[in-house]
Amino acid sequence: MSASGPQPSSSTTDEHHLRTRALPSVDVLASALGGVAAVAAVASFAETTGLGLALPAQVTLLTAIPLLAMIAVQASAGRPGLRPLGALFAGLAVGATWVAVFSIARLLDLPSSPLLLWPPVCIGLAVALSHGFVWLTSASVVGATIAVASISFVAAGAPWTTVFQRWEPTLMTSVAWLVLGARVAPLGPGWVLMIRRTALSMLLVTLLVLSGLEGMSLLPYAPSTTLAMYQGLTVLTLGYAVGWQRRLGDGVGLSLVAVAALIFLLGRYLDWRSTVVPAWVFFLAMALVAGWMVWRAGQREGRQR
């Protein structure tokens, strides 16, 4: 028998590494506030036409700010005492990149394009993966989803901003993130968990929009028919997601599903339009389904004991 005893698995080591690299909650809040304030300063500078600077000087300065912030991230994030400051600079680097890309495009009269989304998305992913800033990875995943979903509209000759008016491409891209998120397993279980929660959040938000607001779908049906179809799909997705998150043992993911379910039910209560099924029948059926799921969960836990 080895004198060193049992060795921790790679999964346990990755989870411990992720926890030790995480920031305390107070530091996270302070870093977030500092990063937002710094990005707001850069955006204000860009909106005031660079305080009278010439165009080349404005472009140079807008480009230099995120680069200098990334140098500061590299210098501070690896040191335990300066890691909160590194998080602040990371937020500044990514936020300043977003501001710089769109401000330079405006200054140079460049056409609006989804290609403008990719530089800040790639920089955000690079900084997050290099230094373990999970929250920054979530923001970059959302940006990448919008960038990928907008490609379909550009290919059809529509403005890329149509992605905010027709939500099916975003829905499909969110599902793709859920399916392909496990491919990042070599990075550690914490990253798989983060991508899964982010993709689940985007999927639920997209379904809530499609099931609650008219004119947000590409389907060539009457608005009432489209809403009814997506409301049925939302109910099925919520039911499956509850069982899925319980099997995974993910309390945060289960909470996300519960919040989405509450918003969905509130929306249906305030805006019931079906003339076929009375509202009380729908809500009674939802209550019975929820009760059945709770009973099944209790039976499973009883058998495990």
Side-chain angles (χ1 to χ4, degrees):
M1 181 180 293
S2 174
S4 60
Q7 298 297 321
S9 65
S10 60
S11 175
T12 304
T13 303
D14 288 337
E15 290 178 353
H16 173 72
H17 181 57
L18 187 64
R19 286 195 299 268
T20 56
R21 297 180 74 181
L23 297 174
S25 57
V26 176
D27 291 341
V28 169
L29 180 60
S31 300
L33 291 177
V36 169
V39 172
V42 175
S44 177
F45 168 81
E47 289 179 358
T48 54
T49 63
L51 301 178
L53 296 177
L55 178 60
Q58 292 183 51
V59 173
T60 301
L61 188 56
L62 287 171
T63 306
I65 291 174
L67 295 177
L68 293 174
M70 282 189 284
I71 294 175
V73 172
Q74 187 67 28
S76 58
R79 303 178 183 180
L82 296 179
R83 184 164 173 77
L85 189 61
L88 187 154
F89 284 123
L92 172 60
V94 178
T97 303
W98 282 98
V99 173
V101 167
F102 285 94
S103 297
I104 292 174
R106 175 177 54 83
L107 291 171
L108 300 180
D109 292 327
L110 297 178
S112 179
S113 167
L115 295 176
L116 299 176
L117 300 174
W118 284 110
V121 166
C122 293
I123 288 177
L125 288 174
V127 173
L129 294 174
S130 299
H131 302 287
F133 296 128
V134 177
W135 59 272
L136 197 56
T137 308
S138 297
S140 297
V141 167
V142 173
T145 300
I146 297 174
V148 171
S150 64
I151 293 176
S152 59
F153 295 108
V154 175
W160 72 270
T161 51
T162 310
V163 71
F164 301 109
Q165 303 169 8
R166 299 292 185 269
W167 286 65
E168 276 86 358
T170 304
L171 177 68
M172 292 183 289
T173 308
S174 301
V175 173
W177 273 113
L178 283 174
V179 174
L180 301 177
R183 298 295 182 181
V184 303
L187 297 174
W191 298 103
V192 177
L193 190 65
M194 176 277 304
I195 291 181
R196 187 172 65 231
R197 289 173 179 172
T198 305
L200 178 62
S201 300
M202 292 188 296
L203 174 64
L204 294 175
V205 169
T206 304
L207 284 175
L208 290 175
V209 170
L210 288 170
S211 64
L213 298 177
E214 293 183 356
M216 294 294 178
S217 173
L218 290 168
L219 298 180
Y221 304 119
S224 58
T225 303
T226 302
L227 288 178
M229 292 173 59
Y230 277 114
Q231 287 167 9
L233 179 60
T234 302
V235 171
L236 294 176
T237 302
L238 290 172
Y240 176 80
V242 168
W244 179 41
Q245 296 303 306
R246 285 188 62 87
R247 288 194 301 272
L248 294 173
D250 187 0
V252 175
L254 195 59
S255 299
L256 292 173
V257 177
V259 170
L262 289 175
I263 295 175
F264 176 74
L265 288 176
L266 179 61
R268 304 291 70 72
Y269 180 78
L270 296 177
D271 189 25
W272 185 262
R273 300 186 181 186
S274 175
T275 57
V276 179
V277 180
W280 69 269
V281 173
F282 172 80
F283 290 110
L284 178 60
M286 292 291 292
L288 291 175
V289 171
W292 176 79
M293 294 176 64
V294 171
W295 176 77
R296 284 293 301 273
Q299 292 293 314
R300 256 194 316 269
E301 292 178 0
R303 285 195 297 268
Q304 292 174 357
R305 292 176 184 176

